[in-house]
Amino acid sequence: MKYVIIVFCYLIGVTLCTAQEETIKEVDSLYREDQFYAGISYNILINKPIGVTQSGFSFGFDFGFIRDMPINKARNLAFGIGLGYSTSGYNQNILMTRGEDNNFNYTLLDDSQTYSRNKFNTHVIEVPIEFRWRTSTPVDYDFWRIYAGFKVGYLVSNVSRYKGDLGDIKQHNNGDFNDFQYGLTLRAGYGTWNFNVYYGLTPLLSDKAQLNGSPIKMNDIKVGLVFFIL
């Protein structure tokens, strides 16, 4: 009887190991990484006209879904394409006001004017495209990653807000903003903490937006953290 129990336990152990191996194989053949994301960023304006400065903290938030498509057997190389949303705020000293002709005027706020707020916000639907490298395995959720890519966005709305000596001025849907925006992206890190940077290649405003007779061709750089969820 003792030998029967030993043989029975042995057979159960072999069966469990085999089932575990088959499960791992099944997971290995199907698993995908980092399909949902959420990030926060600090927004920096570049190529600013003379006299334009930023003040306070200009931050942004984005989230979305990226379809992960591994391209090798180890599944540590992949392409990703997705859909997301971002909102970004920019504290600066360009006052945006709507004229009687419904066009926008742009003037610089100088040091003699007192104001507590002057910023504009954008709301963008985005399509991120990435080439992905990582050290992941089917059972390892903490790994190194480098995701480099490109992001195209469509501006769905914008708002500018001033609050100070001139009153409380709030303007919606300024048509001088560029509807389509795109730029380069890089996400890299280990485990939960991942560095995220976006370099905008498109000016935020079109040539219609002019300050002192010259187009306001400001781009932006976003630097922050991104968090991934399977």
Side-chain angles (χ1 to χ4, degrees), residues 30-35 65-71 75 77-82 130 132 134 136 147:
L30 297 176
Y31 91 98
R32 302 174 190 270
E33 293 289 359
D34 300 341
Q35 299 203 94
F65 173 82
I66 295 182
R67 179 65 170 176
D68 187 73
M69 297 175 285
I71 58 175
R75 303 181 80 80
L77 295 177
F79 285 108
I81 183 169
E130 297 178 338
R132 301 174 146 202
R134 63 224 174 189
S136 64
Y147 299 164

Side-chain angles (χ1 to χ4, degrees), residues 41-59 88-96 108 118-122 177 181 198-200 202-205 211 216-223:
S41 64
Y42 175 68
N43 304 328
I44 305 167
L45 292 171
I46 59 174
N47 299 323
K48 300 186 298 291
I50 295 174
V52 175
T53 60
Q54 283 188 260
S55 60
F57 187 78
S58 300
F59 73 94
S88 302
Y90 305 85
N91 291 288
Q92 34 68 52
N93 63 336
I94 301 176
L95 178 63
M96 303 180 180
L108 279 182
N118 189 71
K119 67 183 298 186
F120 62 84
N121 291 79
T122 60
F177 280 82
Q181 301 171 6
Y198 166 84
Y199 184 91
T202 310
L204 296 171
L205 294 160
L211 183 66
I216 308 173
K217 293 191 173 183
M218 298 186 299
N219 301 53
D220 63 337
I221 296 176
K222 301 177 182 179
V223 180

Side-chain angles (χ1 to χ4, degrees), residues 7 29 65 85 96 102 126 158 185:
V7 171
S29 65
F65 173 82
Y85 162 83
M96 303 180 180
N102 212 33
E126 302 178 326
N158 64 80
T185 61

Side-chain angles (χ1 to χ4, degrees), residues 10 68 76 102 121 214 226:
Y10 172 77
D68 187 73
N76 64 337
N102 212 33
N121 291 79
S214 299
V226 61

Side-chain angles (χ1 to χ4, degrees), residues 22-224:
E22 290 177 354
T23 300
I24 292 175
K25 288 180 180 178
E26 182 179 356
V27 171
D28 182 63
S29 65
L30 297 176
Y31 91 98
R32 302 174 190 270
E33 293 289 359
D34 300 341
Q35 299 203 94
F36 291 93
Y37 67 89
I40 55 175
S41 64
Y42 175 68
N43 304 328
I44 305 167
L45 292 171
I46 59 174
N47 299 323
K48 300 186 298 291
I50 295 174
V52 175
T53 60
Q54 283 188 260
S55 60
F57 187 78
S58 300
F59 73 94
F61 172 73
D62 68 312
F63 66 89
F65 173 82
I66 295 182
R67 179 65 170 176
D68 187 73
M69 297 175 285
I71 58 175
N72 64 338
K73 186 176 181 181
R75 303 181 80 80
N76 64 337
L77 295 177
F79 285 108
I81 183 169
L83 183 67
Y85 162 83
S86 75
T87 178
S88 302
Y90 305 85
N91 291 288
Q92 34 68 52
N93 63 336
I94 301 176
L95 178 63
M96 303 180 180
T97 55
R98 194 189 301 268
E100 294 181 357
D101 55 1
N102 212 33
N103 292 324
F104 273 81
N105 302 312
Y106 304 87
T107 57
L108 279 182
L109 294 168
D110 57 44
D111 295 337
S112 65
Q113 295 170 293
T114 301
Y115 57 95
S116 60
R117 176 182 297 181
N118 189 71
K119 67 183 298 186
F120 62 84
N121 291 79
T122 60
H123 302 272
V124 179
I125 298 297
E126 302 178 326
V127 177
I129 302 171
E130 297 178 338
F131 176 73
R132 301 174 146 202
W133 171 88
R134 63 224 174 189
T135 61
S136 64
T137 70
V139 294
D140 185 8
Y141 299 103
D142 288 324
F143 51 86
W144 291 99
R145 59 172 67 79
I146 299 176
Y147 299 164
F150 187 81
K151 185 160 60 177
V152 179
Y154 179 77
L155 182 72
V156 293
S157 70
N158 64 80
V159 59
S160 59
R161 180 76 181 270
Y162 166 89
K163 191 173 184 180
D165 291 343
L166 302 177
D168 193 346
I169 304 172
K170 191 174 184 180
Q171 307 285 354
H172 292 273
N173 299 325
N174 181 346
D176 292 347
F177 280 82
N178 279 319
D179 288 336
F180 287 96
Q181 301 171 6
Y182 55 87
L184 304 176
T185 61
L186 177 65
R187 312 176 199 244
Y190 179 82
T192 302
W193 299 98
N194 294 275
F195 176 75
N196 179 37
V197 62
Y198 166 84
Y199 184 91
L201 299 176
T202 310
L204 296 171
L205 294 160
S206 69
D207 289 347
K208 289 175 59 180
Q210 297 199 358
L211 183 66
N212 298 324
S214 299
I216 308 173
K217 293 191 173 183
M218 298 186 299
N219 301 53
D220 63 337
I221 296 176
K222 301 177 182 179
V223 180

